Amino acid sequence: DSGVTQTPKHLITATGQRVTLRCSPRSGDLSVYWYQQSLDQGLQFLIQYYNGEERAKGNILERFSAQQFPDLHSELNLSSLELGDSALYFCASSPTGGETQYFGPGTRLLVL
Amino acid sequence: ILNVEQSPQSLHVQEGDSTNFTCSFPSSNFYALHWYRWETAKSPEALFVMTLNGDEKKKGRISATLNTKEGYSYLYIKGSQPEDSATYLCALTMDSNYQLIWGAGTKLIIKP
């Protein structure tokens, strides 16, 4: 158990809908990262937050957004969902940035 | 564009054999090199983080070395076992506050 929690574990929704994925980092970690793993693909970095502020952006679509709250938990919002958004979404946390990242169990999203 | 390259992309190894694979990265402005193991249906798990040229780390039958001058790291697995089957990811940090830059991984399959 890495200490990073993600909810929900599974999510099934329809095209055009909007969903929110939630992540709670390890106690004391200030950085939160979001990753996407599509079928047969590797880890794609989406976005990083540090202590409430956006720090780095990767291959995140404009339909996706994220935020980190004062209690350091983070949410990833996915809107106008398409079939191709079906993937496993991981959250990871680290103390500040650049150190070892600890991954949550992931949220599996299926868009029908 | 910063590139972390891993080779080979996949590897089939007979149980009991030893194996190794490579992570290559640009050697300038190096801060740290990370190795992760990612088993199917699980989340990536940190194995090692190395910062100094010549660093060697070991965990059981798995070890890693680092050459920052020439920009590569090797991961070795001695006496492969079926439970070693996983994708092994390396990731580079260029700065202590920067996000990790991920390689695409080496998928290791151990044949009984």
Side-chain angles (χ1 to χ4, degrees):
Chain A
D1 182 3
S2 67
V4 179
T5 60
Q6 288 187 249
T7 56
K9 277 190 178 175
H10 303 276
L11 197 47
I12 302 174
T13 188
T15 54
Q17 294 299 303
R18 173 189 168 96
V19 297
T20 297
L21 313 184
R22 183 188 167 103
C23 168
S24 292
R26 289 187 327 156
S27 177
D29 284 357
L30 298 178
S31 270
V32 169
Y33 311 80
W34 286 98
Y35 293 91
Q36 179 193 56
Q37 188 215 357
S38 302
L39 193 63
D40 291 334
Q41 299 289 312
L43 272 179
Q44 296 295 317
F45 168 67
L46 295 177
I47 197 162
Q48 177 198 359
Y49 277 81
Y50 172 75
N51 204 22
E53 302 280 329
E54 182 185 304
R55 174 168 274 185
K57 233 173 182 175
N59 300 322
I60 189 165
L61 299 171
E62 284 193 17
R63 300 183 285 108
F64 295 1
S65 64
Q67 54 184 326
Q68 187 180 27
F69 295 87
D71 68 352
L72 301 177
H73 91 270
S74 177
E75 291 180 357
L76 179 67
N77 301 297
L78 315 176
S79 61
S80 303
L81 284 166
E82 301 175 0
L83 295 177
D85 297 327
S86 296
L88 189 52
Y89 290 85
F90 284 111
C91 165
S93 75
S94 71
T96 54
E99 317 99 326
T100 295
Q101 293 181 14
Y102 296 88
F103 283 78
T107 292
R108 186 169 292 282
L109 173 67
L110 181 60
V111 182
L112 299 175
Chain B
I1 294 175
L2 215 54
N3 221 17
V4 174
E5 297 192 356
Q6 291 190 246
S7 62
Q9 193 172 3
S10 66
L11 193 51
H12 288 72
V13 173
Q14 198 67 41
E15 182 178 352
D17 287 353
S18 296
T19 187
N20 66 84
F21 29 91
T22 309
C23 173
S24 303
F25 53 86
S27 54
S28 57
N29 300 320
F30 172 89
Y31 181 77
L33 191 284
H34 308 251
W35 282 101
Y36 287 76
R37 175 168 59 201
W38 190 8
E39 294 178 67
T40 302
K42 294 188 178 179
S43 42
E45 180 187 352
L47 285 173
F48 307 114
V49 56
M50 296 179 286
T51 56
L52 298 176
N53 185 44
D55 256 355
E56 288 188 31
K57 293 281 176 89
K58 189 173 179 182
K59 187 186 269 191
R61 294 178 292 97
I62 304 177
S63 59
T65 60
L66 178 66
N67 183 323
T68 59
K69 294 186 193 299
E70 294 182 37
Y72 64 84
S73 174
Y74 292 140
L75 190 81
Y76 300 91
I77 301 179
K78 188 177 175 182
S80 304
Q81 299 297 308
E83 60 265 28
D84 297 327
S85 294
T87 296
Y88 290 83
L89 298 166
C90 75
L92 176 72
T93 315
M94 299 289 282
D95 179 275
S96 60
N97 290 320
Y98 212 61
Q99 82 273 20
L100 270 59
I101 300 160
W102 295 84
T106 292
K107 185 170 184 175
L108 177 65
I109 298 164
I110 307 300
K111 300 179 288 186

